[in-house]
Amino acid sequence: MAEHHTVTDGKHKASPNAGGSLHGNSRPNVASGGGGKGGLSGGLAQPAGWQSLLSFTILFLAWLAGFSSRLFAVIRFESIIHEFDPWFNYRSTHHLTTNGFYEFLNWFDERSWYPLGRIVGGTVYPGLMVTAGLIHYVLNLLHLTVHIRDVCVFLAPVFSGLTSISTFLLTRELWNQGAGLLAACFIAIVPGYISRSVAGSFDNEGIAIFALQFTYYLWVKSIKTGSVFWSIGCCLSYFYMVSAWGGYVFIINLIPLHVFVLLLMQRYSRRVYIAYSTFYIVGLVLSMQIPFVGFQPIRTSEHMAAAGVFALLQAYAFLQYLKNRLTKQEFQTLFFLGVALAAGVVFLTVIYLTYTGELWTVSYAKIHIPIIASVSEHQPTTWVSFFFDLHILVCTFPAGLWFCIKNVNDERVFVALYAISAVYFAGVMVRLMLTLTPVVCMLSAIAFSSVFEHYLGDDMKRENPPVEDSSDEDDKRNSGNLYDKAGKVRKHVSEQEKAEEGLGPNIKSIVTMLMLMLLMMFAVHCTWVTSNAYSSPSVVLASYNHDGTRNILDDFREAYYWLRQNTDEHARVMSWWDYGYQIAGMANRTTLVDNNTWNNSHIALVGKAMSSNESAAYEIMRSLDVDYVLIIFGGVIGYSGDDINKFLWMVRIAEGEHPKDIRESDYFTPQGEFRVDKAGSPVLLSCLMYKMSYYRFGEMQLDFRTPPGFDRTRNAEIGNKDIKFKHLEEAFTSEHWLVRIYKVKKLDNREPLDHKLRSIVPRPKYTSKKV
Amino acid sequence: HISVGCTYLLLLLYNSLFYFSVFAADDGLVNEEVKRTVDLSTHLAKITAEILLSNQGDSAVHSFILAVESDLAPHLAYIGASVKGDEEEDGMLELKQTAIQGQSGEFYKVQLPSSLGAGAKLRVKVETVFSHVLRPFPTHITQAERQLVVFQGNHYLFSPYPTRSQTTRVRLASKTVETYTKLGNPSKSDDAIEYGPFRDVAPFSEDTMKVHYENNTPFLTISSITRTIEVSHWGNIAVEETIDLRHTGAFLKGPFSRYDYQRQSDSGISSVKSFKTILPASAQDVYYRDEIGNISTSHLQVLEDSVEVEVRPRFPLFGGWKTHYIIGYNLPSYEYLYTLGDQYALKMRLVDHVYDDQVIDSLTVKLILPEGARNIHVETPYPIDRVPDQLHYTYLDTFGRPVLVASKTNLVEQHIQDIVVHYTFNKILMLQEPLLVVGAFYILFFTVIIYVRLDFSITKDPAAEVRMKVASITEQVLTLVNKRLGLYRHMDEVVNRYKQSRDAGALNSGRKTLEADHRTLTNDISSLQARLKAEGSDLADKVGEVQKLDGQVKELVCRSCQEAERLVAGKVKKEAYIENEKNLASKRLDLVTRIDSLLDTL
């Protein structure tokens, strides 16, 4: 009957009832089974029908749960693009939809990096914009007039559903359907992935994780089947990944590594050969079609591992071919060993270069390029954040890994490598936590699934043999056979029963309850983290009063919109690079530097202007044609992410390029402290950033208990309260002083006389209306 | 200086007298008594005049002429006249623009409700509103300064008729007045200046009245507004207004200091922090946003007869600053849409309230009617420019919704009036949208069904193919074998019946049918076996074995048949027969089990 099973496996095409009812039945049953075979009409009455309905429902619910748990920000605030990079992506998508694809590819953005400009078409991964643009186009073609902003905002949550489906597919290939469903549920709500894919976070990662998982699924499929069809599918998915995210390098290193390890484990087969050869050639050609990637795949070291493995595989295959022809056994093995060693050494050096290179770049950057080190995402991951982002999964995934290694086969080798490399990368950088999350979900699902299979399997199973359509999975588990050799193994129901008989019902229920409790806590934790940590647009801030009512601090948009409406269309705004994308996106004004950070010296120049005194800064600003300067100041409301707190990075970056003019030590007190109060260094107290932040702040008393000019962020009374500007003038300050914009005055027609303007006698101190 | 003015006045008088003679001959109307009010307390100049018209001619008149000075005429936003009866105010009068030869300015011919006989008198109220006539002076002020504006008008009523007596009262926005013209020694109280009474003023008299005073009222101007009204027959009317707003007062000079603005109440006194927009009482789902999202600084208050939105732009508007926003809401259609059979009429405000004393420089109204609306006919309350109709596509549209586009410039509050749109709509078309959805789902499910049921693979997997074939053949073998075993059971019954009835004919015929059926079945099975062999399946051997076993079973059945014959014929004893039969049955059972087990492994 095994033939029946293999036919019915997975597909609905053959009658699903053949598998169940034929087992060891007597004649009347056989006859009725044959009679009922006429069609699929009995679908639901059959176990397989129920199973696919159940899977479909669970996947659908996972999608729904994933989608809706990403909507906290939209419900609490509004449908808005979050943070910094998404604003650029949104702006490019907007450009794409208004001007067309080719216009987008050739886009030269003269509104950023003034006066250099930026060739956007050639310096972005266009996958995200094209995806959003395509969805928008199709919807509009169907006369579903959805605004492109809404498409962008909801793209990541929608793709999270696709991610969970591809995770399901991948885990099903690796283990079984049950584990796949668990993995789909995990990935739908796990915070590590939600952090990058909440509604409004319109970033590459949102769609890239889907592409990553789907590529891996297709890879596993092609390794399993050895068919060119699946391999080409894998290439197309890889192409999509390349177009979407720089993290494609992970794929192009992991897959060769997998192949290499398979070779080492003597698991070479023609399937591996077909899959990898097709993948490498077609994938290479496809990936080079992305303008931003260009010739990198054949030039840079991080792609060399793939090429090395390709050469090695060819050599190996050639040897295999020779092996069948040659008769001199000893000579041949010797020859093979020699070549394999040589190729292995070559490959290892390449690998070594690649990975140490990677390591080297990251650690090099930390010491030598402050601009990379200054980004909080690039910090190494703490243990807390592992738990925070993955919760119970971080504890259970080693168990899943162990299960995989214990019952190893071709694709489980792959998932093991995936897990190990992802753990390494996640340890290096917080940002790469994202690549770890899917594999953790998969392996934890495998662990949970195996445990449940042992402990939740009830007595029913003993009476009725299992009726799953995926009989080969059972085979694997029971006989310990490898998949690729498991095709002909028969099912032995009785043996399976024996294995489970040792467990008492009490232990079973206790373990089950415990596991369910864990899962429940996981779900609660996920919701809590999503709601509290990852659902703030960061463009809009909210504070809560004692009575629970909410105050929205909309200062960013207030100031950006002021810029948009009330400055010249071609005005150039200088700000620290963090706000470049937001200014371009929301204020639609020309910026000097932005989050693209491709030109370090330009950023250093801005940093120098910020950290020089006013007249020196004026020179720089005039040479850069600056009309307005925008800074973020959190001293009034106690917002800690403001420019004074980032100021040391500006100094450091400026010092890197202009060591003669800017020295970091000048900004510290002799004791080595960074202080804004009277004890602070005089250089700091007279630099442009300080003056712009605290202009007229010295007159302001926020509270009865504190002196005027008390900075709430740094809890200090500022040291320089008498700030006068000569070349600048306050142009706009937002309601809570969060954003301050200064206008750079043009040169005077003639030197002004130094006389005092008649001024009204300043009134005594005012107290703040808000406390 | 005064003498020059006098000469000018005389000249003017002379001129007007000349024209007056022309008119006097025409209808002989005289402005008996005129009370003018020049309201300058907002950023608009609202000039109302109560005129006691008297017909001193010989014949009855049916109309009279209203005139607007040429300096002010380009700023005229609204002019209206009504008859003031003894009791309530009568309805508005109809105005028609005309021209008078040799006179600059704008002229309107007012049709009287009933003719005014000779010697009769009539009290008329004329209301005019001018926008952008208050010029800020100085044009640029700092944040701490107050806003001063200049108004330049006419001391007299500009009229083609002589005026017997008139007074002019100017209402200001504040007590602070820099200068004002002092014709006829006006009296000034708190925030008002009273001119006159002036007696016997000639027609078309002009004398410049100039007031320079402090006015900190919001100088807000809507530089453009696009009002989109989308009518749905599913019970909803969606209204959306896209508004460009500008502060048209004195420009802000120098820095904007948030510190001063927050700490001193009179800092930036002429700036606009917020204003109130009144929406219809049934407005729901109000939103207030701009290109970069929701404007979180607004408040909504639902009152008994209206919905009040406190619109607060993202930032305070100082002189010269502008902003842009979108406000939208939904209305239930039953309040505005009337229907009779296929005839529909939509009655809505052409332009709605944005803020008190609003000025709209340019208005565009887009009326989106349901898909399939025909015979569209529009009634506007005042003349408005129609642009060619457009088509609009939105959810579930196929051939587009008709959009009526109209535009008008220089509107004020008085223009908040209803527009009526008549059209016909076939109610059957309502079904189009649900049918589209149903159709789309139908196609989706149908595709899924087709996909699941048919094999679209272009390659053949020989192994799978063979497996499928073998499976189907085995299935057939199973059926046939079962049938064959069924034959034996049937035969047993026949034999039993024979034992009772001793009808040899029945037995023989039974045996014959058994033989025949058995042969066909066996042949069928062996042909299937051959096919299995052709497919290269090792199951063929098993089938062969089944055949072999079956042959033995058949033999046993035949033997039991013969035994039965012999028993009936009395050749064997009953005991021996039973013994024999038992033996045969056990053998048969054994064989059948073996066949079964073989079948199970198939």
Side-chain angles (χ1 to χ4, degrees):
Chain A
M1 306 277 155
E3 278 74 17
H4 283 285
H5 289 294
T6 40
V7 170
T8 53
D9 193 336
K11 298 270 175 188
H12 310 275
K13 279 172 191 164
S15 135
N17 58 13
S21 55
L22 280 182
H23 269 286
N25 286 333
S26 54
R27 275 168 282 150
N29 269 349
V30 174
S32 74
K37 213 175 156 66
L40 288 150
S41 48
L44 272 190
Q46 302 304 324
W50 277 114
Q51 204 175 20
S52 45
L53 180 69
L54 203 63
S55 311
F56 181 80
T57 316
I58 290 173
L59 283 179
F60 178 72
L61 288 177
W63 189 329
L64 209 67
F67 183 82
S68 40
S69 71
R70 282 165 172 79
L71 297 186
F72 275 111
V74 170
I75 290 162
R76 278 198 203 134
F77 295 94
E78 58 187 282
S79 163
I80 188 184
I81 306 288
H82 293 189
E83 306 214 309
F84 305 105
D85 285 17
W87 274 102
F88 168 76
N89 297 328
Y90 171 60
R91 186 166 158 248
S92 330
T93 312
H94 199 266
H95 189 89
L96 170 71
T97 49
T98 44
N99 298 315
F101 180 67
Y102 289 101
E103 210 32 60
F104 169 69
L105 274 187
N106 295 327
W107 185 20
F108 177 80
D109 182 14
E110 74 282 356
R111 298 222 139 196
S112 60
W113 293 94
Y114 182 86
L116 308 167
R118 175 185 173 191
I119 306 158
V120 175
T123 56
V124 290
Y125 290 103
L128 182 71
M129 296 99 190
V130 171
T131 308
L134 201 69
I135 291 174
H136 181 249
Y137 176 76
V138 169
L139 287 179
N140 274 287
L141 214 64
L142 297 172
H143 292 153
L144 298 171
T145 43
V146 178
H147 194 274
I148 183 67
R149 182 195 58 243
D150 292 322
V151 175
C152 294
V153 165
F154 294 105
L155 189 75
V158 168
F159 265 72
S160 76
L162 293 177
T163 309
S164 60
I165 285 173
S166 51
T167 306
F168 160 72
L169 292 173
L170 180 55
T171 319
R172 194 180 65 180
E173 291 304 319
L174 294 172
W175 201 257
N176 61 21
Q177 188 135 357
L181 290 173
L182 262 179
C185 297
F186 285 159
I187 192 91
I189 55 167
V190 70
Y193 177 42
I194 283 189
S195 67
R196 296 284 166 167
S197 63
V198 289
S201 142
F202 180 54
D203 216 341
N204 295 331
E205 290 94 329
I207 62 167
I209 292 301
F210 157 67
L212 184 86
Q213 289 291 90
F214 200 60
T215 311
Y216 285 157
Y217 161 65
L218 291 171
W219 168 250
V220 164
K221 198 83 189 164
S222 49
I223 272 282
K224 265 175 122 167
T225 58
S227 93
V228 177
F229 170 76
W230 289 108
S231 224
I232 293 289
C234 179
C235 294
L236 290 175
S237 176
Y238 172 67
F239 173 62
Y240 184 61
M241 175 73 186
V242 175
S243 77
W245 194 35
Y248 77 89
V249 177
F250 183 47
I251 297 182
I252 200 63
N253 280 303
L254 185 61
I255 286 178
L257 185 68
H258 178 213
V259 173
F260 182 67
V261 172
L262 285 183
L263 289 187
L264 284 186
M265 292 172 74
Q266 295 274 312
R267 285 176 164 272
Y268 170 82
S269 66
R270 287 182 65 189
R271 287 178 283 110
V272 176
Y273 180 77
I274 293 169
Y276 186 68
S277 303
T278 318
F279 168 76
Y280 180 69
I281 298 292
V282 181
L284 183 77
V285 172
L286 284 178
S287 66
M288 284 162 68
Q289 308 308 309
I290 304 297
F292 190 29
V293 175
F295 280 93
Q296 277 181 43
I298 52 171
R299 262 201 217 136
T300 55
S301 65
E302 63 231 37
H303 297 84
M304 282 305 126
V309 168
F310 181 66
L312 185 71
L313 192 69
Q314 301 305 321
Y316 195 95
F318 182 63
L319 281 172
Q320 290 281 322
Y321 176 73
L322 284 184
K323 203 169 150 188
N324 295 337
R325 303 277 153 146
L326 289 181
T327 43
K328 287 184 179 175
Q329 197 64 37
E330 288 130 355
F331 168 74
Q332 194 244 314
T333 34
L334 259 172
F335 178 63
F336 153 68
L337 271 174
V339 172
L341 259 171
V345 166
V346 168
F347 174 72
L348 275 179
T349 44
V350 168
I351 285 245
Y352 176 75
L353 281 178
T354 314
Y355 287 104
T356 52
E358 170 91 306
L359 214 89
W360 178 73
T361 36
V362 171
S363 52
Y364 170 82
K366 225 170 261 168
I367 303 160
H368 298 281
I369 307 179
I371 202 159
I372 292 179
S374 71
V375 179
S376 58
E377 287 182 340
H378 295 165
Q379 306 299 326
T381 319
T382 56
W383 284 109
V384 176
S385 71
F386 273 104
F387 184 75
F388 191 69
D389 276 357
L390 301 169
H391 196 247
I392 194 68
L393 302 187
V394 83
C395 312
T396 51
F397 102 96
L401 189 60
W402 183 75
F403 277 122
C404 277
I405 289 173
K406 201 179 149 214
N407 304 316
V408 80
N409 61 23
D410 283 359
E411 62 271 12
R412 287 176 193 163
V413 171
F414 176 75
V415 79
L417 292 172
Y418 183 7
I420 292 161
S421 51
V423 166
Y424 167 71
F425 287 122
V428 173
M429 239 193 233
V430 180
R431 204 168 115 98
L432 295 178
M433 196 70 177
L434 190 65
T435 53
L436 174 66
T437 308
V439 70
V440 164
C441 288
M442 281 153 47
L443 290 175
S444 298
I446 287 173
F448 273 105
S449 165
S450 324
V451 170
F452 279 136
E453 257 165 39
H454 274 89
Y455 290 92
L456 209 59
D458 52 18
D459 304 331
M460 291 282 285
K461 217 173 183 179
R462 245 163 271 171
E463 280 148 30
N464 297 332
V467 285
E468 298 149 69
D469 56 357
S470 50
S471 64
D472 51 345
E473 258 92 36
D474 289 0
D475 289 338
K476 269 182 279 174
R477 188 156 22 81
N478 298 325
S479 54
N481 265 319
L482 309 178
Y483 168 77
D484 36 335
K485 289 160 195 164
K488 299 284 173 214
V489 178
R490 285 279 149 73
K491 186 192 299 261
H492 299 286
V493 179
S494 49
E495 280 175 32
Q496 187 186 356
E497 282 164 21
K498 273 175 213 155
E500 285 183 4
E501 246 154 59
L503 301 166
N506 279 337
I507 293 182
K508 274 188 173 183
S509 51
I510 287 171
V511 170
T512 310
M513 289 295 285
L514 212 70
M515 288 288 154
L516 285 176
M517 283 263 289
L518 283 180
L519 289 183
M520 221 164 68
M521 278 161 63
F522 171 69
V524 170
H525 173 84
C526 286
T527 318
W528 180 80
V529 169
T530 308
S531 140
N532 284 295
Y534 294 136
S535 292
S536 159
S538 90
V539 175
V540 188
L541 307 172
S543 68
Y544 293 90
N545 298 335
H546 297 296
D547 56 349
T549 54
R550 190 175 62 159
N551 279 332
I552 286 187
L553 309 180
D554 213 352
D555 283 40
F556 288 108
R557 286 194 291 177
E558 178 186 351
Y560 292 142
Y561 206 63
W562 181 83
L563 272 176
R564 188 187 187 109
Q565 292 292 335
N566 295 308
T567 57
D568 182 71
E569 203 199 335
H570 299 289
R572 293 157 289 264
V573 183
M574 181 171 96
S575 73
W576 191 235
W577 62 263
D578 297 22
Y579 314 105
Y581 279 163
Q582 287 189 348
I583 293 173
M586 284 193 255
N588 195 18
R589 291 293 172 266
T590 308
T591 57
L592 270 69
V593 291
D594 63 31
N595 312 44
N596 188 233
T597 64
W598 63 274
N599 189 330
N600 191 40
S601 62
H602 210 53
I603 294 179
L605 209 55
V606 171
K608 189 185 171 192
M610 295 290 192
S611 35
S612 311
N613 62 40
E614 193 191 348
S615 46
Y618 188 57
E619 287 300 312
I620 299 170
M621 292 192 291
R622 284 217 328 119
S623 67
L624 288 172
D625 286 345
V626 175
D627 294 312
Y628 292 93
V629 189
L630 181 145
I631 58 152
I632 308 295
F633 171 62
V636 175
I637 53 163
Y639 175 73
S640 60
D642 68 350
D643 275 348
I644 290 281
N645 277 1
K646 290 174 185 167
F647 184 57
L648 278 181
W649 288 111
M650 301 183 202
V651 174
R652 272 172 213 157
I653 291 166
E655 188 186 8
E657 295 276 328
H658 309 279
K660 278 185 198 156
D661 306 312
I662 307 290
R663 272 174 303 277
E664 194 183 343
S665 54
D666 291 349
Y667 295 84
F668 289 110
T669 57
Q671 288 78 37
E673 287 169 299
F674 180 74
R675 308 177 65 144
V676 294
D677 56 11
K678 277 204 176 67
S681 95
V683 178
L684 173 67
L685 263 54
S686 65
C687 76
L688 186 70
M689 175 55 77
Y690 187 92
K691 283 174 81 174
M692 285 194 297
S693 291
Y694 293 119
Y695 178 61
R696 301 204 70 184
F697 185 65
E699 299 165 47
M700 181 148 161
Q701 188 170 20
L702 291 163
D703 208 325
F704 288 114
R705 286 158 292 183
T706 54
F710 185 79
D711 184 332
R712 282 188 180 167
T713 306
R714 283 154 286 271
N715 284 325
E717 188 186 349
I718 59 168
N720 183 358
K721 289 189 184 174
D722 182 36
I723 296 171
K724 293 268 183 299
F725 280 114
K726 198 175 164 200
H727 305 292
L728 297 179
E729 125 184 333
E730 186 179 8
F732 189 79
T733 298
S734 64
E735 197 182 348
H736 305 95
W737 293 49
L738 202 51
V739 185
R740 308 197 72 177
I741 301 170
Y742 289 84
K743 188 179 178 171
V744 181
K745 287 192 207 162
K746 298 282 168 237
L747 274 182
D748 282 323
N749 233 350
R750 51 178 183 239
E751 269 315 286
L753 285 172
D754 214 15
H755 71 89
K756 270 194 176 171
L757 281 169
R758 188 170 60 90
S759 60
I760 311 149
V761 182
R763 299 189 192 183
K765 290 152 200 160
Y766 298 97
T767 49
S768 169
K769 282 172 216 159
K770 358 174 204 322
V771 175
Chain B
H1 176 76
I2 289 166
S3 66
V4 175
C6 279
T7 338
Y8 174 72
L9 207 83
L10 278 173
L11 253 168
L12 209 117
L13 240 146
Y14 173 77
N15 271 342
S16 6
L17 272 173
F18 173 74
Y19 283 105
F20 173 60
S21 59
V22 177
F23 276 103
D26 255 346
D27 42 24
L29 281 175
V30 170
N31 298 326
E32 200 75 44
E33 191 192 342
V34 175
K35 266 195 221 159
R36 272 176 92 215
T37 315
V38 181
D39 184 355
L40 304 178
S41 60
T42 62
H43 66 302
L44 297 172
K46 298 180 205 159
I47 302 176
T48 40
E50 270 181 42
I51 304 169
L52 185 65
L53 269 181
S54 113
N55 184 0
Q56 303 200 336
D58 307 322
S59 57
V61 284
H62 304 281
S63 65
F64 68 97
I65 303 261
L66 287 176
V68 181
E69 297 88 335
S70 57
D71 288 349
L72 292 177
H75 299 290
L76 179 69
Y78 173 79
I79 180 163
S82 55
V83 176
K84 214 167 177 194
D86 294 332
E87 62 280 357
E88 289 290 289
E89 242 184 69
D90 271 337
M92 301 299 290
L93 300 178
E94 220 173 283
L95 271 76
K96 212 167 159 192
Q97 191 160 10
T98 64
I100 294 179
Q101 261 190 348
Q103 276 295 337
S104 56
E106 273 179 23
F107 301 94
Y108 294 88
K109 192 173 187 179
V110 185
Q111 208 64 41
L112 288 171
S114 57
S115 60
L116 191 64
K121 287 181 184 177
L122 180 70
R123 201 170 281 279
V124 189
K125 191 178 174 193
V126 180
E127 199 183 355
T128 49
V129 181
F130 300 92
S131 60
H132 301 301
V133 287
L134 302 183
R135 279 185 302 105
F137 187 82
T139 54
H140 290 71
I141 55 171
T142 63
Q143 189 181 343
E145 284 172 334
R146 286 151 183 279
Q147 181 170 270
L148 299 171
V149 295
V150 175
F151 173 73
Q152 214 162 349
N154 188 357
H155 281 119
Y156 306 120
L157 175 74
F158 191 65
S159 168
Y161 313 113
T163 307
R164 294 271 180 266
S165 144
Q166 77 163 5
T167 57
T168 300
R169 180 186 158 87
V170 181
R171 273 193 58 209
L172 303 174
S174 68
K175 281 187 261 183
T176 323
V177 181
E178 296 281 307
T179 58
Y180 57 98
T181 47
K182 309 242 168 35
L183 183 74
N185 200 14
S187 63
K188 181 184 171 296
S189 58
D190 260 4
D191 56 353
I193 305 169
E194 306 258 7
Y195 287 97
F198 304 115
R199 308 224 173 260
D200 293 326
V201 183
F204 299 116
S205 320
E206 269 192 276
D207 183 67
T208 308
M209 173 175 78
K210 197 168 173 180
V211 190
H212 187 196
Y213 68 106
E214 182 186 326
N215 186 347
N216 290 315
T217 51
F219 270 56
L220 273 184
T221 305
I222 299 168
S223 35
S224 82
I225 175 171
T226 305
R227 185 171 152 93
T228 310
I229 300 166
E230 191 174 339
V231 182
S232 159
H233 280 175
W234 295 94
N236 190 53
I237 297 174
V239 182
E240 183 174 283
E241 291 172 349
T242 311
I243 295 173
D244 275 311
L245 204 62
R246 179 186 277 283
H247 189 296
T248 44
F251 283 83
L252 177 70
K253 180 173 75 182
F256 160 63
S257 167
R258 177 67 72 170
Y259 178 78
D260 290 339
Y261 190 68
Q262 279 173 341
R263 293 296 173 260
Q264 292 164 25
S265 55
D266 60 345
S267 172
I269 194 167
S270 61
S271 68
V272 182
K273 205 168 191 173
S274 69
F275 51 85
K276 281 206 170 91
T277 296
I278 296 166
L279 306 179
S282 51
Q284 284 171 332
D285 317 324
V286 183
Y287 57 90
Y288 168 50
R289 53 177 301 130
D290 57 28
E291 295 105 312
I292 59 173
N294 184 35
I295 303 169
S296 51
T297 45
S298 56
H299 295 283
L300 186 82
Q301 207 180 348
V302 180
L303 304 176
E304 209 135 285
D305 57 346
S306 65
V307 172
E308 216 176 76
V309 190
E310 193 206 336
V311 174
R312 207 176 133 201
R314 290 191 186 275
F315 42 84
L317 286 171
F318 278 84
W321 290 10
K322 62 185 169 60
T323 191
H324 171 95
Y325 68 87
I326 298 163
I327 190 164
Y329 49 90
N330 288 331
L331 297 168
S333 64
Y334 63 82
E335 290 192 7
Y336 301 94
L337 193 64
Y338 304 89
T339 171
L340 181 71
D342 278 354
Q343 294 287 322
Y344 284 84
L346 174 78
K347 192 176 179 199
M348 278 203 76
R349 283 179 172 179
L350 185 61
V351 58
D352 210 337
H353 181 268
V354 180
Y355 56 90
D356 290 341
D357 299 313
Q358 63 192 19
V359 178
I360 298 171
D361 284 352
S362 154
L363 162 79
T364 308
V365 177
K366 288 187 179 172
L367 257 161
I368 303 171
L369 298 178
E371 201 175 43
R374 284 170 298 115
N375 307 331
I376 300 157
H377 169 68
V378 184
E379 285 170 26
T380 54
Y382 36 82
I384 183 160
D385 303 326
R386 282 280 296 275
V387 183
D389 290 358
Q390 298 167 352
L391 279 181
H392 175 78
Y393 295 94
T394 181
Y395 299 103
L396 301 171
D397 283 350
T398 44
F399 51 91
R401 309 185 175 199
V403 185
L404 313 180
V405 187
S407 66
K408 187 173 169 61
T409 55
N410 204 0
L411 290 94
V412 288
E413 234 171 36
Q414 277 79 359
H415 289 99
I416 301 177
Q417 289 177 37
D418 283 338
I419 183 174
V420 183
V421 181
H422 299 275
Y423 61 91
T424 53
F425 177 83
N426 194 348
K427 283 205 168 83
I428 294 291
L429 283 171
M430 295 276 282
L431 286 176
Q432 183 191 348
E433 291 172 1
L435 282 180
L436 266 176
V437 175
V438 169
F441 274 102
Y442 180 77
I443 290 171
L444 176 75
F445 291 140
F446 197 73
T447 331
V448 170
I449 289 170
I450 294 281
Y451 174 76
V452 166
R453 296 209 168 204
L454 300 184
D455 186 4
F456 287 100
S457 64
I458 51 168
T459 56
K460 283 184 179 169
D461 182 358
E465 201 94 326
V466 165
R467 271 204 299 273
M468 296 250 285
K469 249 184 212 164
V470 167
S472 83
I473 294 170
T474 4
E475 198 66 26
Q476 288 175 41
V477 168
L478 285 173
T479 339
L480 290 177
V481 168
N482 281 318
K483 233 184 221 169
R484 207 161 56 181
L485 295 175
L487 285 179
Y488 301 144
R489 255 172 291 150
H490 183 69
M491 194 60 210
D492 288 348
E493 276 169 36
V494 171
V495 168
N496 284 340
R497 240 178 286 140
Y498 166 72
K499 275 189 276 183
Q500 280 154 19
S501 66
R502 298 166 182 252
D503 180 3
L507 180 70
N508 280 334
S509 71
R511 198 185 292 163
K512 239 174 240 164
T513 49
L514 171 74
E515 287 288 340
D517 287 353
H518 186 263
R519 198 172 304 125
T520 49
L521 284 173
T522 313
N523 286 342
D524 285 354
I525 292 173
S526 33
S527 72
L528 286 173
Q529 186 192 354
R531 272 173 63 194
L532 274 178
K533 206 168 233 169
E535 297 293 345
S537 168
D538 52 348
L539 293 177
D541 305 341
K542 280 181 185 162
V543 176
E545 212 167 311
V546 169
Q547 292 282 69
K548 219 185 281 169
L549 290 171
D550 182 70
Q552 293 172 18
V553 174
K554 167 93 189 310
E555 229 161 75
L556 289 175
V557 169
C558 285
R559 266 185 59 193
S560 79
C561 189
Q562 282 163 7
E563 289 291 320
E565 260 178 332
R566 284 170 66 190
L567 176 72
V568 170
K571 285 176 186 159
V572 266
K573 281 186 181 139
K574 208 167 181 185
E575 290 79 32
Y577 171 75
I578 287 170
E579 189 67 22
N580 223 340
E581 189 64 33
K582 212 186 251 174
N583 204 2
L584 282 174
S586 74
K587 264 188 192 163
R588 232 175 93 183
L589 196 67
D590 185 41
L591 284 172
V592 168
T593 356
R594 274 169 71 192
I595 290 178
D596 270 354
S597 66
L598 269 174
L599 286 180
D600 281 349
T601 57
L602 275 182

